[in-house]
Amino acid sequence: MAVIKLYGRERELGLLRRLREPFLAVIYGRRRIGKTSLVLKFLEGRPHLYFFVNPKKPPHLLLEEYGEALRRAAELPGYVRFRTWDEFFEALFSLRGHVVAFDEFQWFMEVAPEVPYMLQRFWDVKAEKPSIIVTGSVVGLVKRLVAEAGSPLFGRADLVMELGELEPSAVFRWLRDLGIRGEETFRFYLLFGGVPYYYRLVQQWGVRTVEEAVRLLVAGEGGPLRHEVEFVLAESLGREYKTHLAILDAVARGATKLDQIASHVGIKTTSLPPYLRDLTDLLNVLTRFKARRTYYEFRDRFHAFWFRAVYRHRDVTPEDRLREVAAAELEDFYPWAFEAAVRELLPRLYPVRKVTKEVVFLR
Ligand SMILES: Nc1ncnc2c1ncn2[C@@H]1O[C@H](COP(=O)(O)OP(=O)(O)OP(=O)(O)O)[C@@H](O)[C@H]1O
Ligand SMILES: [Mg+2]
């Protein structure tokens, strides 16, 4: 396997490396934030098994594929098959000195809901066990799996870490390595924040300016971010995401209070809370402020831009004009994004650092 080059993440890797085996670690964070890369980096050079919990595969196929990988790792004879998850975990737990990663663990709740509870049972009763890392991107679901009394991983994890965005310094280093300098680096940061996937695309597409990023990646025909927001919402929420889209569009247009959002979307104010809960607690796209009244704002600057630049224009703009129109949105976006970024960065300049947000719990 090629050695993975990561920018930043020294602290997160340090936390993982401090754990004494066998450990159970939970890493969660929004889509594209770098969970899989962090885990693979940690696994580099250690005996390990990596399992992606693909919600689109039928459970028997997952079991077959996992079983095949386990059989090889455990050096079991070729005829060995695991017919049930119980048999699979029995063999997995006799595997010593390995780290086992389940990526996007929350999908077990859909694919094979008995599995998290089975993992809990094996973890509780077996004295000898492999180390286990589970990751998840539907933040609310992962919290439910870990943090609620009676949930399968409650009180068992040695480390629970919310993976946040890359530090600005890591982003700036990355951009410098790409030959991007000066004010342009900060403009990139205003648009893409600390989400590594977006910078990976900048790198792959050889993009040099934010405007070019918007024209090629965000608004371009076939651009990899053209459908990004819908794609992530659809994957996380299933098909029922049209109302969520409409709510986010309303917020992007400046509707921040409940009644304003409801009137934009065209539903009753009393019907909004479940959708808003999905967008705040489950997916972390919006954030809720409580002043005299409750209001909502984008937490994620790229999402905010996507709605202004792509979602709002694409059905009423000819394809050959869309890049132009989207790039023109940058002018209005920067002042808002600058304020939002300052609001995010300012607390870090205070001399007394709070316990870092990402580390929820370390035993
Ligand atoms: N710290 C980093 N330094 C450099 N590149 C990174 C870093 N973290 C992630 N990447 C790159 O960013 C992209 C997204 O990362 P990754 O797939 O690990 O995120 P994820 O949280 O698992 O996303 P998803 O929700 O899509 O599964 C990948 O192409 C990866 O190579
Ligand atoms: Mg991943």
Side-chain angles (χ1 to χ4, degrees):
M1 193 165 45
V3 175
I4 301 165
K5 168 150 177 60
L6 291 189
Y7 288 88
R9 302 302 191 211
E10 295 85 6
R11 197 175 54 81
E12 290 85 348
L13 282 168
L15 284 171
L16 281 167
R17 287 175 180 148
R18 244 173 65 189
L19 295 170
R20 263 192 302 151
E21 298 194 25
F23 61 78
L24 175 62
V26 178
I27 300 172
Y28 65 96
R30 56 156 285 187
R31 296 288 319 254
R32 320 302 204 191
I33 203 72
K35 302 172 296 294
T36 304
S37 307
L38 178 71
V39 170
L40 292 178
K41 183 76 195 172
F42 175 74
L43 295 177
E44 224 171 59
R46 293 167 198 262
H48 68 263
L49 281 168
Y50 169 86
F51 299 122
F52 175 60
V53 186
N54 186 341
K56 299 197 176 100
K57 276 197 180 148
H60 72 270
L61 202 58
L62 276 188
L63 178 60
E64 196 179 310
E65 290 176 6
Y66 291 7
E68 177 68 25
L70 172 57
R71 192 177 56 69
R72 269 185 273 119
E75 295 174 5
L76 296 169
Y79 59 79
V80 172
R81 294 278 178 280
F82 305 103
R83 279 160 309 166
T84 62
W85 287 108
D86 214 55
E87 288 179 9
F88 169 79
F89 276 105
E90 193 66 57
L92 189 74
F93 271 72
S94 44
L95 197 63
R96 303 284 143 69
H98 276 65
V99 183
V100 179
F102 290 100
D103 200 1
E104 301 296 342
F105 185 75
Q106 79 268 332
W107 295 137
F108 270 129
M109 294 310 261
E110 281 194 7
V111 180
E114 69 279 20
V115 166
Y117 295 92
M118 215 174 266
L119 176 63
Q120 163 192 349
R121 185 158 48 79
F122 276 94
W123 188 263
D124 287 350
V125 301
K126 297 281 184 186
E128 303 254 14
K129 43 200 164 198
S131 291
I132 292 181
I133 303 180
V134 312
T135 77
S137 62
V138 185
V139 172
L141 280 184
V142 181
K143 283 186 181 158
R144 231 172 283 158
L145 278 169
V146 175
E148 285 175 8
S151 67
L153 302 182
F154 181 73
R156 289 173 177 80
D158 300 290
L159 171 70
V160 178
M161 166 158 74
E162 177 172 4
L163 193 61
E165 299 192 2
L166 296 180
E167 290 289 325
S169 58
V171 171
F172 296 152
R173 218 176 318 129
W174 194 345
L175 289 171
R176 203 164 48 236
D177 288 353
L178 298 180
I180 297 165
R181 297 208 155 68
E183 272 179 29
E184 200 61 18
T185 51
F186 194 63
R187 283 194 206 106
F188 269 105
Y189 187 73
L190 289 182
L191 180 61
F192 289 147
V195 181
Y197 174 61
Y198 305 146
Y199 296 99
R200 172 68 72 222
L201 293 174
V202 167
Q203 183 170 2
Q204 281 170 342
W205 287 60
V207 163
R208 306 303 298 255
T209 63
V210 175
E211 193 174 325
E212 212 183 337
V214 170
R215 288 171 187 269
L216 280 175
L217 308 177
V218 183
E221 209 173 356
L225 296 175
R226 172 92 170 242
H227 301 285
E228 171 72 2
V229 171
E230 280 160 313
F231 171 76
V232 168
L233 287 180
E235 283 226 326
S236 312
L237 299 168
R239 245 174 279 140
E240 301 290 320
Y241 68 95
K242 294 274 156 31
T243 309
H244 299 86
L245 270 180
I247 290 172
L248 292 174
D249 180 47
V251 178
R253 286 169 188 269
T256 54
K257 303 199 182 72
L258 278 177
D259 46 348
Q260 294 171 333
I261 297 172
S263 93
H264 260 286
V265 176
I267 63 175
K268 284 197 293 219
T269 311
T270 49
S271 311
L272 277 179
Y275 298 106
L276 286 168
R277 261 200 304 279
D278 286 346
L279 293 168
T280 52
D281 305 342
L282 196 65
L283 296 178
N284 254 345
V285 179
L286 290 183
T287 159
R288 184 189 296 115
F289 291 98
K290 280 215 164 80
R292 258 183 314 132
R293 294 175 67 180
T294 304
Y295 64 101
Y296 292 85
E297 186 51 278
F298 275 93
R299 209 184 61 85
D300 185 288
R301 296 193 292 278
F302 174 71
H303 276 68
F305 181 75
W306 186 88
F307 275 94
R308 292 163 182 228
V310 178
Y311 189 73
R312 191 182 299 175
H313 294 300
R314 68 173 175 202
D315 300 326
V316 290
T317 311
E319 185 61 44
D320 58 344
R321 289 263 309 128
L322 187 62
R323 291 164 170 229
E324 212 65 51
V325 171
E329 285 289 339
L330 278 170
E331 197 183 329
D332 281 347
F333 171 74
Y334 283 136
W336 174 83
F338 181 77
E339 201 184 307
V342 169
R343 233 183 296 135
E344 176 194 308
L345 295 175
L346 211 55
R348 301 192 197 190
L349 303 177
Y350 288 117
V352 183
R353 283 185 70 123
K354 283 196 288 191
V355 176
T356 50
K357 169 186 142 285
E358 289 88 349
V359 183
V360 179
F361 180 61
L362 178 66
R363 206 152 52 183

